[in-house]
Amino acid sequence: MADDETVATPVDPDAVDGRLVLRLLWVVVRLIPVVWLMRAGETFLYQGF
Amino acid sequence: MSEGVQAFDLGTAGFWGVVLLAVLLLAALTDATWKRRAFAVVNLLALGLLVGPLGVLAALVAVTVGWAVGRALATRGFGPVFVVACLALAAVFGVHKWPWPPPALAPVRAAFGAIALSYVVLRIADMWHAVASRQAPAPDWLDTVAYVVPFHMLSAGPIRAYTAWVKEPVTTEPLTLHGTLDGVDRIVTGLFKKFVLAWLVDLYLFHDMASPWPWRFVEIQAFYVWVWLDFSAYSDIAVGMGRLLGVPAPENFDRPFLSRNIIEFWTRWHISLGDWVLRNLFQPMQLALVRGRFRKQPVAAASISYFVAFGLVGVWHGLLPGQLLWGVYVAVGMVAVNLYRAWLTKRLGRKGLKTYQANPWIRAVAVVLTFEFVAFSMVVQFYPQTLWGW
């Protein structure tokens, strides 16, 4: 094998990485006020169109 | 709300329980035919839980009529059956939208309202058009259930093109961790837009168009932003649910605030409705006109087609003065853009037009003007009564 060739490491599409954890955190951070407002009685109706 | 018809509220744990159940039931299916059929059945169950028995009955009536006529059109193509069926569909829609309904019709209207008849009518018409023009095969009843009343796109679209649905009704790749997060992320984006951002705009910036000038101007801008947050939130949720279910929902918004004119706006805002209008109204009409009396006047043919097509979009939104006025307002804007473009092409030539369009200053002015044109159109549409006091 030539020196400048690199061996490609197989990537597991479901491997847990830092970006995935950050994304999950971002989902949770946004969900907190959503759930709070839902519990306070805010509705999301699309009715009768 | 009438007895037997429930509210379709995305702000309840019950709604999300039904979504989770549907995702779990469909997640294991990797065969396209089985998944398609399973979705139709799961969809009916979900509708039963979400809109109640009368809502399901209304859905079944709409589906069966759409399917039966669709079968007939597969053999007959365009002809008297197509014309009569489309007129009957328009008449039913007109009765549904009639602003002064007799009280006896209230339960029927509530049942068809629960399944968002406005969108159901557009899906049925799209299916009939595709089948009659031989772009799609004769529909199957279960497939029609899945296409006409998909519970995750029911209340406010998007409207999938029937030809696209026939090509890929479901996706069969198994749900991966990343895929699931994509879907959940999109749903949460929608919920955040609606419950937090739209709520904040409503709380601090929007006061039912009651502010004195010049605050009214700020309110008009805020209302446009609020409508976008509210409506695109629902589309985000539908797209996210579609990913999790494996039943795709098309994208419905693409940074509409960047539109440089009202024609471009309709390729960025409620995209699936804009595409529906192009496929089913604008293009057939324009084609008929340029093949007939307007053979040598393509700009006039396009202008007439814009006017009629988007005037009808106004009617589709509602048979109320504000909605009708809005339809005319948008149509006039489209005709003006079309004529201005034709005039510029004549004056500058095709190359000159490209240079003109590439100028960043002209683009910036066009984007601001379009923003204001659309923001004002929302006042015309939803608060026409405030116009007389200006």
Side-chain angles (χ1 to χ4, degrees):
Chain A
M1 188 184 287
D3 285 348
D4 59 346
E5 276 186 46
T6 52
V7 179
T9 314
V11 178
D12 175 3
D14 276 348
V16 177
D17 56 33
R19 274 183 307 175
L20 191 82
V21 174
L22 279 178
R23 237 181 124 189
L24 202 60
L25 266 177
W26 180 226
V27 164
V28 174
V29 164
R30 284 177 299 163
L31 257 183
I32 293 166
V34 167
V35 173
W36 181 69
L37 284 163
M38 265 188 191
R39 286 172 63 91
E42 282 293 312
T43 55
F44 193 170
L45 285 167
Y46 273 96
Q47 189 70 45
F49 187 62
Chain B
M1 191 72 354
S2 281
E3 209 177 308
V5 181
Q6 296 161 20
F8 200 98
D9 187 354
L10 278 68
T12 60
F15 177 84
W16 294 104
V18 171
V19 173
L20 184 64
L21 190 69
V23 171
L24 292 175
L25 285 170
L26 295 170
L29 297 173
T30 50
D31 177 83
T33 310
W34 276 102
K35 188 160 184 175
R36 217 171 73 210
R37 308 235 166 250
F39 173 69
V41 176
V42 167
N43 188 47
L44 278 179
L45 289 173
L47 285 180
L49 292 168
L50 293 171
V51 295
L54 280 184
V56 173
L57 187 64
L60 292 178
V61 169
V63 163
T64 307
V65 170
W67 162 77
V69 174
R71 301 285 300 181
L73 293 175
T75 49
R76 292 161 197 259
F78 290 116
V81 175
F82 181 78
V83 174
V84 170
C86 286
L87 288 176
L89 195 65
V92 168
F93 180 71
V95 169
H96 178 69
K97 288 278 183 177
W98 192 246
W100 307 280
L105 274 183
V108 182
R109 278 166 63 105
F112 281 101
I115 61 160
L117 188 72
S118 302
Y119 284 92
V120 167
V121 160
L122 295 188
R123 291 196 192 97
I124 289 176
D126 200 53
M127 180 173 76
W128 289 352
H129 187 196
V131 172
S133 59
R134 310 274 193 263
Q135 294 177 68
D140 162 287
W141 190 81
L142 266 184
D143 282 347
T144 312
V145 169
Y147 175 70
V148 171
V149 282
F151 83 93
H152 61 304
M153 297 184 248
L154 195 68
S155 297
I159 311 149
R160 222 175 155 201
Y162 187 67
T163 47
W165 187 84
V166 166
K167 227 176 256 177
E168 194 192 31
V170 290
T171 56
T172 51
E173 296 88 37
L175 263 182
T176 60
L177 189 61
H178 281 272
T180 308
L181 191 55
D182 275 349
V184 172
D185 189 16
R186 194 66 191 269
I187 290 172
V188 172
T189 299
L191 290 174
F192 188 75
K193 271 182 179 171
K194 167 68 188 180
F195 280 97
V196 182
L197 301 180
W199 178 75
L200 285 172
V201 170
D202 187 32
L203 196 63
Y204 292 110
L205 294 171
F206 183 63
H207 308 290
D208 272 339
M209 294 294 166
S211 310
W213 292 93
W215 291 112
R216 177 77 65 87
F217 181 75
V218 177
E219 215 182 333
I220 290 170
Q221 321 299 309
F223 184 56
Y224 176 16
V225 174
W226 182 86
V227 173
W228 171 74
L229 285 169
D230 185 83
F231 191 9
S232 70
Y234 187 87
S235 296
D236 286 329
I237 293 168
V239 170
M241 286 195 288
R243 281 189 194 157
L244 297 179
L245 291 164
V247 184
E251 291 293 342
N252 221 13
F253 290 86
D254 176 20
R255 298 160 297 161
F257 302 135
L258 295 181
S259 310
R260 68 179 295 156
N261 59 55
I262 189 71
I263 294 177
E264 187 190 338
F265 172 80
W266 275 97
T267 64
R268 291 174 174 271
W269 174 280
H270 205 173
I271 297 168
S272 64
L273 177 65
D275 287 349
W276 188 97
V277 171
L278 273 184
R279 279 194 307 278
N280 295 292
L281 293 175
F282 178 81
Q283 284 167 350
M285 212 182 322
Q286 190 192 25
L287 206 64
L289 289 173
V290 292
R291 282 178 181 166
R293 285 185 63 179
F294 292 85
R295 192 178 295 269
K296 288 179 182 166
Q297 296 149 288
V299 176
S303 297
I304 292 168
S305 307
Y306 276 128
F307 200 85
V308 176
F310 280 87
L312 286 173
V313 173
V315 173
W316 176 79
H317 276 89
L319 295 172
L320 294 164
Q323 303 287 5
L324 301 177
L325 192 61
W326 172 84
V328 174
Y329 176 90
V330 171
V332 167
M334 291 191 137
V335 170
V337 170
N338 193 39
L339 292 176
Y340 183 58
R341 197 159 47 192
W343 178 76
L344 275 179
T345 314
K346 202 171 168 186
R347 192 161 163 256
L348 306 172
R350 290 202 179 275
K351 210 176 160 187
L353 182 69
K354 274 194 177 165
T355 314
Y356 173 88
Q357 286 175 332
N359 184 317
W361 292 103
I362 290 174
R363 181 173 182 91
V365 170
V367 166
V368 170
L369 286 178
T370 306
F371 187 99
E372 294 308 326
F373 183 85
V374 175
F376 186 74
S377 83
M378 305 265 172
V379 181
V380 173
Q381 190 173 11
F382 298 107
Y383 290 91
Q385 69 279 10
T386 64
L387 295 173
W388 318 128
W390 285 10

